[in-house]
Amino acid sequence: MKRTKRWLLAALVLGVGVGGFTISKGTGHAATTDPQTFISTLKSPVTTVANKYKLYPSVMMAQAALESAWGTSTLTTTANNYFGIKGAYNGQSVTMQTSEYDSNGQLYYTNANFRKYPSAKASMTDNATLLRNGTSYNPTIYSGTWRENAATYSDAANALTNTYATAPTYGSSLISIIKTYSLSSLLDGSSTSSSSSSSNSSSADTAAPKPKPVVYDKATYFGASGTQTARLNAQYTSYRLYNHIKGTREKVTKTAWNKVRAGQDVQVYLDMRGVKKATTTGKKTTWYRLKFTNSSSAKKYWVYGKALTLPTVKYTKGSATVKVNSALSGSYYNHVFNSPYLAKSMGTLKKLTAKSYTADNQAVKTQDGVKSTWYRLKVGDGKYWIASTETAASPQYDYVVYSAASGTKKLSAKYKKYTLYNHVKKTHFNQESYKWPSGSKKGAKVTVNYKGLKTAYGTTWYRIQFSGNKTNYWVDSRALA
């Protein structure tokens, strides 16, 4: 869930007034220039929702007034959105221009989707849910607004500064509205003091529990070797750059894209991958540390993986004997180099001096339209990836001469001694074997449609089909009469 952070600037961009209340009306909500009418109209949904979620109704009413310019903002009149919450609500949204501050305090403008609600109460409920549940990276970020944590409405209002909004006067602006229109006595059910230190606070207020400590998400980090790259995708502006993985520690700062050399399809350089696990939900997300140049002194940023277009890798299990050219320069890795896992060098090819190695997995990587094949080899007690390019790793398959064939043959008396395969045995990595189909017996007819001769062994293989079965099988000719 996202919302605009600078209420005053958002109001100006969305075409609303903060002090004069003289804005054009839309179609989804009846705008008013009278604060008392606004309060009277929203009193029922505000008190119902705020009390249900154990929040201060006075603070919710003040927020709604401030964020919506007393119900006159274009966002409120067209979408019943009283709090500037971004995104979509049950698939419904409106697109409007808004303003943001970057990490350096500079103002910039951008288009954003804002939630469209069927009613004012739906908007109040959505905002209350946000205050109670927080964000994915910090579920307790708004816990200072909860009535069990906030001794007074002013404590709750001030808790929204630098959390819900970045304006330093946000809390004091809410308190001013509450005092001006006596919202606390009207909505909260008591004349709650505007200061938590006031002698008028009740004993229940002074005994309120302290806010719970912030719990950060955990991240596991994986280093990478060499120059591994990705590209910014079409959705990269939906995310932000950070100095650390978001939500994993305090004082994580963000950088706007207009401060770096960003753009769709721009190449970035990756040197670390991080897997974040949300403390509250257990959900895992992948993050990457990147630079915009390959210079060792270039500034590094963390970004959510969905902002990047990474190479794709298709893995296939199988078996092959692989010879390695240890005379070449290069390395073997814990993952396919430049795959979404990123890779770390585990040693040089010069160390792979055995006559051959067994591969149990093949990977075809596609990066910027270029394909390369990799094999996972068993080396000692470990398994590592090596590229087949430039003859660094060469699978050893039997040589076969293929030719067209036709006609029918019969299964021999010894057909069960042999196995059906998807390819001639020991000629492909993804070799698969099959059971003889039901109804197979000595003398059963099969159709022949291809022939293979293994010249080194002098053996002949046929590709066959069984009656009523269009599957092709390869079998040693000795299974046929």
Side-chain angles (χ1 to χ4, degrees), residues 83-109:
F83 300 95
I85 296 180
K86 294 178 181 176
Y89 182 83
N90 293 335
Q92 298 297 306
S93 65
V94 293
T95 301
M96 294 186 178
Q97 189 182 63
T98 184
S99 59
E100 301 284 356
Y101 277 113
D102 63 26
S103 60
N104 297 316
Q106 298 297 312
L107 177 68
Y108 67 97
Y109 297 91

Side-chain angles (χ1 to χ4, degrees), residues 164-182:
Y164 192 93
T166 56
T169 59
Y170 191 76
S172 60
S173 297
L174 296 177
I175 293 170
S176 177
I177 293 174
I178 293 171
K179 288 182 176 180
T180 299
Y181 298 99
S182 303

Side-chain angles (χ1 to χ4, degrees), residues 153-278:
Y153 71 74
S154 64
D155 290 340
N158 285 325
L160 292 168
T161 301
N162 293 325
T163 54
Y164 192 93
T166 56
T169 59
Y170 191 76
S172 60
S173 297
L174 296 177
I175 293 170
S176 177
I177 293 174
I178 293 171
K179 288 182 176 180
T180 299
Y181 298 99
S182 303
L183 297 182
S184 180
S185 58
L186 178 67
L187 305 175
D188 295 342
S190 65
S191 56
T192 308
S193 169
S194 64
S195 171
S196 59
S197 59
S198 171
S199 58
N200 293 328
S201 297
S202 67
S203 59
D205 288 338
T206 58
K210 295 181 179 180
K212 297 179 181 179
V214 176
V215 178
Y216 295 104
D217 297 330
K218 304 295 183 182
T220 304
Y221 299 91
F222 304 90
S225 300
T227 302
Q228 302 186 55
T229 61
R231 295 187 182 276
L232 298 179
N233 62 30
Q235 288 77 42
Y236 81 94
T237 55
S238 299
Y239 307 96
R240 289 290 184 267
L241 297 168
Y242 298 90
N243 62 331
H244 297 288
I245 295 178
K246 184 179 179 182
T248 59
R249 63 188 71 192
E250 65 176 336
K251 296 181 179 179
V252 174
T253 60
K254 62 183 179 180
T255 298
W257 291 105
N258 60 4
K259 297 298 179 181
V260 296
R261 297 174 56 187
Q264 185 176 345
D265 293 329
V266 164
Q267 181 172 268
V268 294
Y269 301 85
L270 313 177
D271 70 349
M272 189 174 289
R273 175 174 63 97
V275 177
K276 182 176 78 169
K277 182 178 181 181

